[in-house]
């Protein structure tokens, strides 16, 4: 069953009276238990696509259904709730708070989540253990390597047990060894039932992807 | 979430600079507010508590004097009955009655000179411990709790040598003065007085060598000492009015009786207004500094935190929650700053108090800490930075989240 459904999604940027279509009637379905790779050249609109799925960016027409909820007409607040409950996000440059320890960073999304608020600390420790960072829980980001930072970021994305993980160039700042480690973790997560969507330049992701798409001229084409 | 925010703030060393600036601003603001409150209180104390504030010095009008013959002038007497019949007038007595006299308090420490004021139920202070006296009582006085029987009270550099009220209450002392005898020479007369009550001279702005004596005793001493030599001398009369607000109506009534009158204690309006104006300018200046510092700090901090704001949005924090986070963030800094400034202000207060005690002996007033000044300071210090922060974050949140996250890459 699909947890992310795109129906005729269109997005056009207007720059100095010039219309630049980025997404042209995009249709796609993403299911739990699979790892999706979205590839494409720079400027193809990959990040725009995942930002639209996140509800971070608006779109011109079409529908996006996340976990059965149509976010097309949702308010900012409702979209924020969807992001907090149903989507975990992983970024290229980790975006960890420098003044919070690893487990505090993981706790952050749980502090506003009714389901996990009360046992946020215990859960943060469990999640860090799952990504093999049980010896780094009290370390600050500056004391961690790039790969470790990204694993903290993955633990944080899993904090509220979302069905969907959206990763924007998750290995962009990592070496090959760490890149494979991160992809392995993400693959495991998909096998555990998560819907993992990875936007990446790296062809390495194709080794792990169940389905790969290419975004080309505003269309999402299965590879 | 609040716990995480607090931890984050404690660890963020960049907060220390703004903490110092806010503490100093808060301390300055508090100092100005306390100074202003003390200044107003000092004036109020002077006028409301000091009997001189509602006392008029009355003399005959020039027209009245010019209309008198030499004999009439020589025998001129005030119409006390008419003066006392004026509404709101409580007392009227010759200005010569109040006098400084030598006493047996004279020692190595003091010259023993005590100033005796006209004491009646209308002029005695409210804060008397012990007994009061009536107009007809004799041989009794009421002195300060902290008594300093010396004429050089204003020029002493320390109050260390006070006579404690406990040691003088119910004790006797002698008053000596010279009276002319039939041979034209002067003889020393000694009279004994008992201290039956004590009053707090600082509350009524009287100097520490001022005692209250009954009208009867003061008249007797006047009769024995000055009455003869003052014969034919035109003296003024002190008229005590029941309330400050009634001074002008009594002045008008006295005018109708052909008397000129001026308040014994006059407020320097220009000086008062200048001081008030200076304090308002200082407050405005400090507020401008607080606003500017907050804007510069918040903008600079937001540039640093811009990714964090984007991240919080991406993690599912609503705009209101993000604004609340940054409101609490600023509140935390401000609350620590005002806590520091409060402690500093108390230390500064005791230093100022010590300076006052040692250098401003003449001023009966002692500076106080005003709760209202603290409240005003707290409100300004909390509201201004927090609201500016809230507003600037709100402006930032209108931007696209993605553009916030990728801000430094653009």
């Amino acid at each position: 069953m699909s947890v992310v459904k795109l129906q005729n999604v269109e997005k056009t940027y207007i720059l100095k009276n010039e219309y630049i279509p980025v997404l042209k009637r995009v249709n796609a379905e993403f299911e739990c238990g699979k790892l999706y790779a979205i590839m494409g050249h720079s400027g193809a609109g990959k990040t725009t696509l995942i930002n639209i799925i996140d509800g971070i960016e608006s779109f011109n027409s079409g529908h996006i259904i996340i976990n059965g909820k149509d976010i097309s007409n949702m308010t900012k607040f409702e979209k924020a709730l969807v992001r907090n409950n149903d989507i975990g996000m992983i970024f290229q440059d980790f975006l960890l708070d420098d003044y919070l320890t690893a487990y505090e960073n993981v706790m952050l999304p749980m502090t506003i989540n009714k389901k996990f608020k009360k046992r946020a600390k215990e859960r943060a420790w469990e999640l860090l253990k799952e990504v093999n960072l049980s010896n780094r829980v009290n370390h600050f980001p500056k004391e961690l390597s790039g790969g470790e930072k990204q694993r903290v970021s993955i633990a944080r994305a899993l904090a509220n047990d979302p069905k969907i993980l959206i990763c924007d160039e998750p290995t962009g700042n990592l070496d090959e060894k760490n890149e494979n480690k991160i992809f392995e973790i993400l693959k495991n997560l998909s096998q555990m039932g998560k819907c993992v969507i990875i936007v990446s330049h790296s062809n390495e992701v194709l080794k792990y992807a169940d389905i790969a798409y290419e975004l080309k001229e505003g269309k999402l084409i299965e590879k | 979430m609040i716990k995480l925010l607090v931890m984050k703030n404690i660890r963020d060393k960049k907060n220390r600079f703004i903490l110092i600036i806010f503490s100093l601003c808060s301390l300055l603001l508090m100092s100005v507010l306390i100074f202003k409150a003390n200044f107003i209180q000092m004036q109020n104390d002077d006028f409301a508590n000091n009997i001189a504030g509602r006392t008029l010095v009355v003399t005959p009008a020039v027209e009245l004097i010019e209309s008198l013959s030499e004999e009439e002038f020589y025998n001129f007497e005030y119409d006390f009955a008419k003066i006392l019949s004026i509404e709101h007038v409580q007392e009227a007595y010759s200005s010569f009655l109040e006098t400084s006299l030598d006493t047996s308090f004279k020692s190595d420490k003091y010259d023993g000179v005590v100033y005796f004021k006209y004491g009646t139920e209308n002029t005695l202070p409210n804060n008397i411990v012990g007994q009061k006296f009536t107009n007809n009582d004799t041989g009794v006085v009421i002195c300060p709790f902290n008594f300093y029987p010396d004429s050089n009270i204003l020029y002493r550099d320390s109050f260390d040598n006070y006579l404690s009220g406990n040691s003088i209450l119910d004790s006797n002392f002698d008053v000596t003065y010279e009276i002319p005898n039939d041979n034209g020479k002067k003889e020393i007369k000694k009279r004994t007085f008992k201290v039956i009550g004590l009053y707090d001279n600082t509350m009524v702005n009287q100097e520490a060598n001022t005692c209250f004596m009954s009208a009867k005793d003061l008249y007797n001493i006047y009769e024995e000492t000055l009455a003869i030599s003052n014969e034919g001398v035109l003296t003024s009369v002190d008229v005590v009015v029941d309330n400050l607000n009634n001074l002008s109506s009594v002045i008008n009534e006295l005018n109708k009786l052909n008397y000129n009158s001026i308040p014994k204690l006059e407020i320097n309006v220009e000086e008062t207004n200048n001081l008030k104006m200076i304090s308002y300018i200082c407050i405005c200046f400090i507020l401008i500094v607080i606003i500017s510092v907050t804007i510069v700090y918040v903008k600079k901090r937001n540039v640093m935190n811009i990714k964090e704001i984007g991240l919080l949005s991406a993690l599912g924090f609503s705009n209101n929650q993000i604004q609340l986070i940054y409101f609490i963030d600023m509140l935390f800094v401000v609350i620590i700053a005002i806590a520091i400034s409060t402690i500093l202000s108390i230390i500064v207060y005791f230093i100022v108090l010590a300076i006052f005690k040692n250098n401003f002996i003449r001023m009966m007033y002692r500076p106080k800490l005003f709760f209202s000044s603290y409240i005003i300071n707290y409100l300004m210090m909390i509201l201004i930075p927090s609201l500016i922060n809230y507003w600037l974050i709100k402006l930032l949140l209108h931007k696209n989240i993605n553009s916030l996250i990728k801000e430094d890459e653009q």
Side-chain angles (χ1 to χ4, degrees):
Chain A
M1 190 196 155
S2 61
V3 281
V4 179
K5 206 183 270 183
L6 309 180
Q7 295 174 337
N8 299 321
V9 175
E10 287 193 323
K11 173 73 181 178
T12 303
Y13 287 117
I14 305 167
L15 284 173
K16 294 175 186 169
N17 296 330
E18 195 186 337
Y19 288 80
I20 303 165
V22 181
L23 301 176
K24 296 174 186 169
R25 299 180 73 81
V26 172
N27 288 288
E29 290 193 11
F30 300 90
E31 292 176 9
C32 284
K34 286 185 178 166
L35 190 147
Y36 298 86
I38 298 176
M39 306 195 66
H41 65 82
S42 195
K46 303 184 297 292
T47 302
T48 302
L49 177 67
I50 58 167
N51 284 342
I52 285 174
I53 297 172
D54 292 340
I56 283 175
E57 219 167 305
S58 61
F59 49 99
N60 302 104
S61 64
H63 292 275
I64 294 175
I65 292 128
I66 304 286
N67 207 12
K69 291 164 272 192
D70 189 345
I71 65 162
S72 317
N73 298 314
M74 279 186 176
T75 61
K76 276 187 174 180
F77 177 72
E78 287 167 333
K79 283 180 185 171
L81 273 180
V82 169
R83 274 201 297 279
N84 188 249
N85 290 313
D86 301 314
I87 303 172
M89 292 180 71
I90 297 159
F91 306 91
Q92 181 178 348
D93 45 5
F94 328 120
L95 293 183
L96 298 176
D97 193 310
D98 291 338
Y99 299 104
L100 297 178
T101 61
Y103 90 85
E104 287 167 343
N105 265 293
V106 178
M107 276 172 70
L108 200 57
M110 290 188 270
T111 57
I112 54 161
N113 189 291
K114 283 179 189 168
K115 200 172 161 190
F116 297 107
K117 204 174 180 177
K118 284 183 181 165
R119 53 187 195 94
K121 195 173 175 180
E122 292 77 25
R123 184 164 167 76
W125 284 59
E126 283 166 21
L127 288 167
L128 285 167
K129 202 176 166 185
E130 277 179 34
V131 292
N132 290 323
L133 283 175
S134 48
N135 57 337
R136 290 278 195 263
V137 284
N138 283 316
H139 286 235
F140 289 97
K142 64 181 176 194
E143 297 162 344
L144 301 173
S145 69
E148 287 171 330
K149 281 182 195 173
Q150 196 57 297
R151 278 188 277 157
V152 174
S153 176
I154 292 171
R156 183 182 61 191
L158 293 168
N160 292 331
D161 194 21
K163 286 188 175 169
I164 307 150
L165 281 182
I166 295 178
C167 319
D168 188 2
E169 302 280 5
T171 58
N173 286 347
L174 302 178
D175 56 27
E176 201 178 321
K177 191 181 156 195
N178 276 308
E179 182 179 38
N180 283 316
K181 242 184 203 175
I182 296 298
F183 282 142
E184 272 166 27
I185 293 170
L186 293 172
K187 180 69 186 174
N188 281 339
L189 288 169
S190 72
Q191 283 167 347
M192 287 160 73
K194 304 285 181 197
C195 168
V196 180
I197 303 169
I198 302 173
V199 163
S200 182
H201 276 106
S202 169
N203 284 327
E204 203 67 20
V205 71
L206 295 173
K207 286 189 208 166
Y208 301 89
D210 296 302
I211 299 168
Y213 287 104
E214 186 175 8
L215 194 60
K216 202 173 179 183
E217 292 170 358
K219 295 278 186 187
L220 203 56
I221 303 157
E222 194 171 333
K223 269 190 161 182
Chain B
M1 186 164 75
I2 290 171
K3 195 182 166 191
L4 279 187
L5 280 173
V6 171
M7 294 306 293
K8 194 169 132 60
N9 270 305
I10 291 169
R11 289 167 189 160
D12 189 350
K13 287 178 184 163
K14 288 190 279 290
N15 281 337
R16 288 179 194 171
F17 173 72
I18 192 73
L19 201 61
I20 293 168
I21 299 285
F22 276 167
S23 301
L24 288 176
C25 286
S26 175
L27 180 64
L28 278 174
L29 185 62
M30 207 152 7
S31 305
V32 175
L33 288 168
I34 291 173
F35 168 78
K36 187 170 159 280
N38 270 292
F39 177 69
I40 291 167
Q41 185 68 46
M42 193 169 75
Q43 281 196 335
N44 287 346
D45 278 8
D46 240 6
F47 284 87
N49 302 334
N50 187 345
I51 186 82
R54 53 187 176 96
T55 301
L56 296 168
V57 178
V58 178
T59 51
V62 179
E63 302 83 53
L64 177 61
I65 293 170
E66 283 174 353
S67 69
L68 297 174
S69 66
E70 199 176 325
E71 197 183 338
E72 283 171 330
F73 181 84
Y74 189 79
N75 294 317
F76 179 81
E77 280 185 9
Y78 287 89
D79 193 340
F80 281 98
K82 273 190 179 171
I83 294 173
L84 284 166
S85 69
I86 296 173
E87 197 180 2
H88 305 301
V89 169
Q90 292 182 320
E91 301 288 348
Y93 53 89
S94 167
S95 304
F96 276 96
L97 287 182
E98 296 185 337
T99 183
S100 293
L101 296 170
D102 290 328
T103 66
S104 55
F105 287 112
K106 189 173 181 177
S107 68
D108 295 341
K109 286 182 185 172
Y110 321 109
D111 65 9
V113 175
V114 174
Y115 186 73
F116 292 97
K117 273 189 80 71
Y118 190 83
T120 69
E121 60 177 7
N122 294 316
T123 61
L124 283 175
N126 298 326
N127 54 11
I128 290 172
V129 171
Q131 296 174 50
K132 289 184 179 180
F133 51 70
T134 63
N135 286 356
N136 292 322
D137 287 337
T138 57
V140 286
V141 290
I142 293 168
C143 295
F145 283 118
N146 295 310
F147 190 37
Y148 198 86
D150 195 300
S151 57
N152 293 320
I153 181 88
L154 306 182
Y155 309 106
R156 293 277 170 180
D157 59 359
S158 166
F159 267 139
D160 292 343
N161 296 324
Y162 278 126
L163 271 175
S164 148
N166 289 333
S167 68
I168 59 167
L169 187 62
D170 292 328
S171 69
N172 293 324
F173 67 94
D174 294 330
V175 167
T176 50
Y177 49 92
E178 290 178 336
I179 55 170
N181 62 16
D182 296 339
N183 306 328
K185 290 184 178 174
K186 288 179 177 176
E187 65 179 68
I188 304 289
K189 179 153 186 184
K190 186 189 277 185
R191 288 185 60 185
T192 302
F193 287 86
K194 184 179 182 182
V195 181
I196 60 162
L198 300 169
Y199 76 100
D200 185 348
N201 63 309
T202 59
M203 295 288 286
V204 288
N205 282 26
Q206 297 297 331
E207 280 138 14
N209 71 336
T210 304
C211 292
F212 286 86
M213 189 179 269
S214 74
K216 195 171 183 180
D217 279 331
L218 283 173
Y219 271 113
N220 286 339
I221 293 169
Y222 177 73
E223 288 298 325
E224 288 177 315
T225 56
L226 293 170
I228 298 164
S229 56
N230 277 353
E231 226 167 82
V233 175
L234 194 59
T235 63
S236 58
V237 165
D238 283 2
V239 170
V240 180
V241 180
D242 60 357
N243 191 298
L244 271 176
N245 301 327
N246 299 324
L247 280 181
S248 52
S249 75
V250 173
I251 289 171
N252 286 338
E253 290 304 312
L254 286 165
N255 273 341
K256 288 177 192 168
L257 295 175
N258 265 333
Y259 295 123
N260 282 339
S261 47
I262 51 163
K264 213 169 186 177
L265 204 64
E266 270 191 296
I267 188 166
N268 188 335
V269 179
E270 199 181 344
E271 190 184 58
T272 306
N273 289 341
N274 284 345
L275 268 166
K276 277 186 182 172
M277 188 56 74
I278 289 167
S279 60
Y280 286 130
I281 291 169
C282 287
I283 290 170
C284 289
F285 176 73
I286 296 164
L287 290 181
I288 290 168
V289 171
I290 293 170
I291 292 169
S292 310
V293 166
T294 308
I295 291 174
V296 170
Y297 168 75
V298 172
K299 278 192 164 178
K300 203 175 168 186
R301 206 176 144 88
N302 286 350
V303 169
M304 291 187 290
N305 290 346
I306 211 152
K307 275 196 162 193
E308 186 182 280
I309 294 166
L311 170 73
L312 290 173
S313 280
L315 291 179
F317 284 75
S318 67
N319 284 3
N320 285 341
Q321 283 169 327
I322 294 171
Q323 279 172 255
L324 183 69
I325 284 172
Y326 285 92
F327 182 81
I328 294 170
D329 199 55
M330 180 57 85
L331 203 62
F332 176 81
V333 175
V334 169
I335 285 175
I336 294 193
I338 58 178
I340 292 170
S341 64
T342 302
I343 294 166
L344 288 178
S345 75
I346 292 168
I347 295 169
V348 170
Y349 165 72
F350 281 109
I351 294 170
V352 171
L353 198 63
I355 293 170
F356 251 77
K357 277 187 176 175
N358 290 326
N359 300 303
F360 297 94
I361 301 282
R362 181 168 185 166
M363 295 178 81
M364 297 303 131
Y365 184 77
R366 291 286 168 260
K368 299 175 184 79
L369 287 175
F370 285 87
F371 187 62
S372 57
S373 303
Y374 280 90
I375 297 291
I376 295 169
N377 175 64
Y378 293 161
L379 283 177
M380 284 181 170
M381 285 306 299
I382 288 172
L383 287 179
I384 294 172
S386 302
L387 290 177
I388 291 174
N389 189 36
Y390 188 83
W391 177 67
L392 288 175
I393 295 287
K394 196 172 181 175
L395 286 182
L396 206 60
L397 284 169
H398 283 300
K399 285 178 120 180
N400 183 297
I401 301 168
N402 192 43
S403 71
L404 293 178
I405 293 173
K406 303 216 163 180
E407 191 78 17
D408 64 345
E409 290 164 22
Q410 285 171 359

